[in-house]
Amino acid sequence: MLIAVLCLVSIAALPTAGIASADDDPHTQSEYLDTLNGMDGYEIYDEVEEINEIHAQSITDIQFVDDFDDEDREHFDAVITLLDNFEQAHTHVENEEYDAGLDISEQLINETIPSLDGTEYGGIVTRAEFGFDRYHEQLGTELATQADEATATPDEITLRNYSAQAYELADNPAQAAEQRSFEEQLTIELSADQEQIDASQSSAEAFANSCDACESPVEAAQSYHFNIFSQYENASAEHSNASQAATLTEQHNLGGSLAYERLADDIFEQQLMLGLGALIIMVSYGAIIGLVVVIVLSRLFRWKRTYEAAQVDSVVVIGDIND
């Protein structure tokens, strides 16, 4: 019994330096090791072998640090940031959230990796740079392939931009410049065609809405009279505008081409009514002119017969006189 009591007293008297308290620095060497061990299973390790090697090396390095100081903390903070944020960047990329993924990668390349340079833990910066270059080179190629297969011009422009960014992060300026060139050319083409689409739409819709007398040929003929011919030409031009808007919209796969096709069909119907109205006017005026011609000709023939009859009577009278 006495021995047991003495043992309990001895245990209670043991120093407590190894027990963490609320006042202790939470970033102890063991906590860093636990954090690194807890980062097993990241998908980025399967994608980039160099990042997996950095993770494994850091777990080994931290266990052989004799005097864990602030410089060591800064180093392993940077390593943890590198591993954790690169995993986040890769997750964004897998989810096609390229903006977020590339922004994280750029920050890691410009800030985190350089902070690892000059430390006593050799090889990490070289491995990180090589791994990042290879990863983003592959990403740039994949995005360029997606751009080649894109059916909508805005999507292709966006993918060319992402591809260029990835190649820039991979330190491949030649490929980045090529993608930028494609992006700029497509942007110029789309901008010009979009202006043409907007102008054609505005003009065609204005005509369609203003042609109030285009519901029937008779109404068109009564309203426009001889101006119906110029109105018909306007309808033809606006039908071409609406059709061009539909073609360009479909060419760039912008969506909404059916609306322009319906507009073109509506104007074609108006053009048809104007054409029939013009035919009515031509037939009507043709009939009037024909009637006038008939009247004039009939009078001419009557005058001719009267004249010929008068000539015959004159001959008979002269003959009688001679007798």
Side-chain angles (χ1 to χ4, degrees):
M1 184 65 178
L2 180 59
I3 296 174
V5 171
L6 291 174
C7 287
L8 288 173
V9 171
S10 299
I11 293 173
L14 287 174
T16 59
I19 302 176
S21 67
D23 296 330
D24 290 337
D25 187 347
H27 300 294
T28 62
Q29 183 174 356
S30 61
E31 288 174 344
Y32 274 100
L33 178 59
D34 291 341
T35 299
L36 288 168
N37 283 327
M39 300 173 80
D40 285 336
Y42 278 8
E43 291 185 9
I44 194 62
Y45 301 153
D46 297 327
E47 297 291 328
V48 184
E49 181 182 356
E50 292 79 9
I51 302 302
N52 185 37
E53 292 173 354
I54 290 173
H55 176 239
Q57 178 185 338
S58 298
I59 290 176
T60 301
D61 287 343
I62 198 170
Q63 296 181 72
F64 287 93
V65 177
D66 294 329
D67 185 13
F68 196 77
D69 54 20
D70 289 341
E71 185 176 337
D72 296 313
R73 289 188 181 88
E74 290 178 4
H75 170 79
F76 288 105
D77 277 337
V79 170
I80 291 170
T81 297
L82 175 67
L83 300 177
D84 199 37
N85 288 7
F86 199 7
E87 174 71 6
Q88 291 180 34
H90 177 64
T91 300
H92 284 305
V93 168
E94 290 293 292
N95 294 332
E96 298 185 358
E97 299 166 351
Y98 299 114
D99 270 330
L102 293 170
D103 284 346
I104 293 173
S105 290
E106 183 177 8
Q107 185 174 8
L108 290 174
I109 291 172
N110 293 335
E111 299 178 13
T112 305
I113 293 177
S115 70
L116 292 168
D117 196 16
T119 64
E120 59 183 286
Y121 304 95
I124 286 185
V125 171
T126 301
R127 287 178 181 174
E129 290 176 341
F130 187 80
F132 266 69
D133 286 352
R134 193 162 57 84
Y135 176 85
H136 291 98
E137 179 84 22
Q138 181 178 350
L139 177 59
T141 302
E142 291 175 357
L143 290 169
T145 300
Q146 291 183 36
D148 291 337
E149 298 171 353
T151 57
T153 303
D155 292 340
E156 182 177 356
I157 291 173
T158 300
L159 289 167
R160 296 291 182 194
N161 176 47
Y162 290 145
S163 177
Q165 289 185 52
Y167 279 127
E168 288 166 356
L169 294 177
D171 196 21
N172 188 336
Q175 289 294 334
E178 182 179 6
Q179 295 303 313
R180 289 293 182 203
S181 177
F182 288 144
E183 178 193 0
E184 291 173 5
Q185 181 179 354
L186 288 169
T187 301
I188 292 172
E189 292 177 0
L190 179 60
S191 178
D193 288 345
Q194 186 64 64
E195 288 183 6
Q196 181 62 52
I197 291 170
D198 294 341
S200 297
Q201 176 190 10
S202 177
S203 180
E205 287 181 344
F207 174 84
N209 294 331
S210 66
C211 196
D212 298 328
C214 297
E215 297 296 326
S216 71
V218 174
E219 185 179 1
Q222 291 174 343
S223 298
Y224 295 113
H225 302 291
F226 283 106
N227 289 330
I228 198 169
F229 299 103
S230 61
Q231 191 73 349
Y232 178 86
E233 292 180 356
N234 292 336
S236 178
E238 296 307 333
H239 176 261
S240 297
N241 282 337
S243 298
Q244 183 183 38
T247 300
L248 291 174
T249 301
E250 187 174 359
Q251 176 182 328
H252 293 291
N253 199 10
L254 300 177
S257 61
L258 290 178
Y260 297 124
E261 290 175 3
R262 286 193 294 268
L263 178 60
D265 290 342
D266 291 342
I267 295 176
F268 181 77
E269 289 293 327
Q270 294 175 323
Q271 183 182 359
L272 179 60
M273 296 300 103
L274 290 167
L276 293 174
L279 182 61
I280 290 173
I281 290 177
M282 287 189 293
V283 171
S284 299
Y285 281 94
I288 294 173
I289 292 172
L291 180 59
V292 170
V293 170
V294 169
I295 292 172
V296 171
L297 289 176
S298 66
R299 289 189 176 184
L300 287 173
F301 284 127
R302 186 182 303 170
W303 175 81
K304 181 180 180 182
R305 285 195 298 270
T306 301
Y307 175 78
E308 290 176 348
Q311 290 293 97
V312 170
D313 290 343
S314 175
V315 171
V316 172
V317 171
I318 293 172
D320 290 341
I321 293 174
N322 292 332
D323 290 341

